[in-house]
Amino acid sequence: MKKWGILLTAVLMLTFVLAACGQEKNNGAGQAGNKAGQTTQNGAQAAEPDTNETDKTLTIGMSADFPPYEFHIKNEQGEDEIVGFDVEIAKEIAKDMGAKLEIKDLKFDSLLNELASGRVDLVISGLSPTPERAKQIDMSKIYYKAEQAVVTREADKDKFATMESLEGAKIGVQQGSIQEEMAKKIPNAKLTSLAKISDIVMQLNTNRVDAAILEGPVAKSFVKNVKGIVITDATPENEDEGYVIGVKKGNKELLDQVNSTLDRLIADGSIDKFVTEASELAEK
């Protein structure tokens, strides 16, 4: 009986040990499972991009139908590309900021709303510093000045040789532009305001308007590339002081960065170089 008692005791002890081992194994598996779950979550957080490695993007709004300021070409790869001297200035600002450049091609009259909403960081598009615009946005220092021009068909060059001769005429202008404001001051003039300058030139070529008021370099570019149109001797009154870059109200840090880049580009003659190169490209 004593042997049976010893044997029974040994069996019970073995059972207890095995049960304890099984419990420890189960607990270990549970802990491992929990650790695996935490690792997955932590791993996902760790996979988020390091802010030090994330490239900043500078988004520029412009109306790319304004040669030589900004316009479309087919590059050597046959791809559509926006070029122009405003584009070159934008590239320099982005470079000084250590940012990637993104260009949004928008209608001119929507640019300030896009800027105010934060959908673009800057507006660079032959923007004149009017008092009305100063209420909506902050503006950089002036980076370029240009004259205005009147364009008409070759046969009507002498007919519209003065600003007075435009009284009562049908005049094409870009919607939301400084030229539109100029045309509104011409007595009895009938305005056709369109989003794209190329459409204004088409209206001129199809006799839907008598003349168009355009930025000087833009007018020269279209005259060289579109048969049958000329610049007249009429000289529009030019009250604007030049062109600026638009920045969202209150963003002083970005405005200071823009002005710093412009100071450099003006001082070293880069802007004049950009204008010359863009004008030559537009003529092609």
Side-chain angles (χ1 to χ4, degrees), residues 178-242:
I178 192 72
Q179 292 80 23
E180 184 179 43
E181 297 305 313
M182 291 178 182
K184 287 178 180 178
K185 297 176 182 178
I186 299 173
N188 302 315
K190 302 173 184 65
L191 271 59
T192 297
S193 300
L194 300 172
K196 293 186 176 183
I197 293 177
S198 55
D199 291 339
I200 296 168
V201 173
M202 186 181 295
Q203 293 277 311
L204 184 59
N205 260 336
T206 55
N207 296 304
R208 291 185 175 89
V209 298
D210 300 313
I213 300 178
L214 304 176
E215 174 69 43
V218 176
K220 290 177 182 177
S221 176
F222 274 96
V223 164
K224 288 181 179 180
N225 287 283
V226 179
K227 188 177 180 180
I229 62 174
V230 293
I231 296 174
T232 77
D233 292 332
T235 306
E237 292 184 11
N238 187 13
E239 296 179 357
D240 77 273
E241 299 176 349

Side-chain angles (χ1 to χ4, degrees), residues 73-85:
I73 65 165
K74 289 288 185 183
N75 62 24
E76 292 178 355
Q77 290 73 41
E79 300 166 337
D80 182 79
E81 183 179 354
I82 297 175
V83 297
F85 74 82

